Amino acid sequence: MNPFDLLKNSQMIKDQAEKLQKEIANITAEGSAGGRMVTVTLNGKFEMLSIKLDPICVDNRDVQMLQDLIVAAHNNAIENVQEKIKSSTALGDFDLSKLGL
């Protein structure tokens, strides 16, 4: 095999990986818990962009419930981001399991 072909292919793979990283970063998904009392929005890097709380769930007598709802909504948002990444057309047949997704 020609070593120049290998270099050419490696550059193409690198370019595709960079493009994929940019597309993943632009993905957003919501997760919710408690009948949408808590809604969390994440990006494709699993960074939390926003959190929305229904005023009904803000009760200083039950902080533990609110904390549990936030964790549940965050976990649901992670699942939704993973699904969007997996279904992204840019990924084609790329094996996401190698990336831990």
Side-chain angles (χ1 to χ4, degrees):
M1 178 175 258
N2 185 342
F4 293 108
D5 287 340
L6 287 175
L7 289 174
K8 184 179 177 182
N9 288 339
S10 67
Q11 183 61 43
M12 182 179 67
I13 291 170
K14 181 182 173 191
D15 292 344
Q16 287 177 337
E18 289 173 358
K19 179 182 175 188
L20 180 61
Q21 286 177 336
K22 288 178 185 175
E23 288 183 21
I24 288 174
N26 290 327
I27 290 173
T28 61
E30 285 187 350
S32 64
R36 299 191 62 81
M37 286 194 303
V38 175
T39 302
V40 171
T41 303
L42 301 180
N43 67 16
K45 294 180 180 181
F46 302 100
E47 298 168 333
M48 190 180 303
L49 302 176
S50 69
I51 183 167
K52 296 176 190 167
L53 304 174
D54 185 319
I56 197 167
C57 70
V58 182
D59 181 352
N60 63 359
R61 293 172 292 161
D62 199 357
V63 173
Q64 183 63 47
M65 178 199 66
L66 180 56
Q67 292 168 340
D68 292 343
L69 288 173
I70 291 170
V71 170
H74 185 263
N75 290 337
N76 182 242
I78 288 172
E79 292 171 6
N80 292 338
V81 167
Q82 289 171 334
E83 286 302 314
K84 283 189 172 189
I85 290 171
K86 288 178 184 177
S87 67
S88 173
T89 57
L91 294 175
D93 295 325
F94 192 74
D95 186 4
L96 290 173
S97 64
K98 294 178 183 176
L99 300 175
L101 299 174

